[in-house]
Amino acid sequence: MTNQLLNITEEASTVMIEDAINAFPNECCGFFYGTESEEERIVTIARPVLNSKEGDQRRRFEISPFDYMKAEQFALQNDLLLLGVYHSHPNHPSVASIHDLAKAMPYFSYVIISVMEGEFNTIQSWRLREDIREFREEEVCWKLANRSQESEFGGSATSSHSSPHRIHQ
Amino acid sequence: MAKIIIPTPLRKFTGGKSSFESNGTTVQAVVDNLVAENATLGQQILDNSGNIRSFIRVYVGDEDINELEGSETAVNDSSVISIVPAIAGGVN
């Protein structure tokens, strides 16, 4: 699949961003589901899960194996694809970290939401490259009820289609 | 036959299949059968000794096999086995 656009519905965007704000100053996490074509992935449902990381949740998240198993079951039962994982970066940019890369799985989109001092900042998505262990950024379209639709690349809310970031170990 | 659920990120190694059925009677036997038919998947979930990698968890039904008999946990025709990768990360 070569699609490079992650199109997040208003309902799913709202769930992710509100979860990130509510969890501040800790990191939130969850799964998202939807469909995909050659052109894009469409995220229709986002579901928060517990950050099960023991220790400092302001800098780390972890999803329990049980919650992961339930997420796969939810996708199968609802005839949806488990498209990826979202989490927040409190008081940090929405750029994937080496810790994100270390545990990244192929195929998944990794949505990261930056929350600065409790306020939503930016949203970006990253996917593991197939040829080398490196993230490539994918374009994200998202909506919030109180904001106009924004299409961004590079995390800016106003500029579009800047050069994608690369994260590698 | 026991059914094993393939996690979404690893389905490219099973030709897109979301599940696999095997008449193996233990978790290890089912996994071995799965890998025998999908060799590249083996590199993802098994170490060089053929054991399930440490960051991969396996459930039978709702129970972690580490709380049962490990990879020798018995399975039957009604068993549903889940392969679960670790999901974690955070800021630099």
Side-chain angles (χ1 to χ4, degrees):
Chain A
M1 196 61 66
T2 56
N3 55 49
Q4 292 191 33
L5 170 64
L6 189 71
N7 197 341
I8 310 175
T9 62
E10 180 177 319
E11 183 178 0
S13 299
T14 302
V15 168
M16 292 183 197
I17 293 170
E18 287 189 349
D19 191 26
I21 293 169
N22 292 337
F24 186 88
N26 291 338
E27 294 196 9
C28 72
C29 51
F31 294 101
F32 51 86
Y33 310 81
T35 59
E36 72 175 343
S37 66
E38 288 292 333
E39 293 76 34
E40 63 179 352
R41 289 178 164 180
I42 300 176
V43 178
T44 54
I45 296 176
R47 303 181 86 203
V49 297
L50 182 71
N51 181 353
S52 64
K53 178 66 181 177
E54 295 182 1
D56 191 356
Q57 294 189 352
R58 293 174 300 179
R59 302 182 65 84
R60 294 288 182 274
F61 83 96
E62 187 172 306
I63 294 177
S64 76
F66 187 79
D67 281 340
Y68 181 88
M69 183 180 68
K70 291 299 180 186
E72 289 280 6
Q73 291 176 357
F74 179 85
L76 288 172
Q77 289 163 358
N78 291 278
D79 199 23
L80 293 169
L81 292 170
L82 178 57
L83 293 173
V85 177
Y86 74 86
H87 72 282
S88 60
H89 279 183
N91 289 337
H92 284 76
S94 49
V95 177
S97 72
I98 57 173
H99 305 289
D100 296 325
L101 181 61
K103 293 286 178 68
M105 299 291 294
Y107 177 82
F108 273 165
S109 291
Y110 286 88
V111 166
I112 301 177
I113 302 150
S114 169
V115 178
M116 305 299 266
E117 302 303 337
E119 297 287 332
F120 167 60
N121 183 31
T122 54
I123 184 168
Q124 288 173 265
S125 185
W126 309 84
R127 211 187 301 185
L128 202 58
R129 288 177 52 166
E130 294 188 357
D131 50 347
I132 57 174
R133 191 162 182 82
E134 181 178 294
F135 272 130
R136 66 171 169 79
E137 187 179 3
E138 57 186 353
E139 188 177 3
V140 183
C141 286
W142 55 274
K143 300 174 186 174
L144 275 182
N146 60 349
R147 289 177 185 240
S148 58
Q149 178 179 351
E150 299 177 40
S151 175
E152 58 188 73
F153 213 31
S156 167
T158 54
S159 65
S160 62
H161 299 248
S162 60
S163 298
H165 293 101
R166 301 235 182 264
I167 307 296
H168 56 86
Q169 286 181 314
Chain B
M1 291 195 286
K3 182 179 183 180
I4 188 163
I5 306 295
I6 313 299
T8 304
L10 299 183
R11 286 178 196 162
K12 70 175 186 176
F13 303 108
T14 61
K17 291 182 194 169
S18 60
S19 65
F20 174 84
E21 293 190 346
S22 163
N23 56 10
T25 56
T26 66
V27 167
Q28 188 69 57
V30 173
V31 170
D32 287 346
N33 288 343
L34 171 66
V35 170
E37 291 198 18
N38 304 275
T40 54
L41 179 65
Q43 298 164 14
Q44 304 294 319
I45 63 173
L46 302 179
D47 63 22
N48 292 336
S49 301
N51 299 315
I52 297 167
R53 291 185 184 277
S54 60
F55 60 85
I56 298 285
R57 301 284 278 274
V58 179
Y59 278 68
V60 175
D62 285 350
E63 294 193 80
D64 188 333
I65 64 168
N66 290 330
E67 306 297 325
L68 301 171
E69 304 295 325
S71 61
E72 292 307 310
T73 298
V75 295
N76 55 41
D77 285 356
S78 63
S79 298
V80 176
I81 303 167
S82 297
I83 298 173
V84 180
I87 303 290
V91 299
N92 282 326

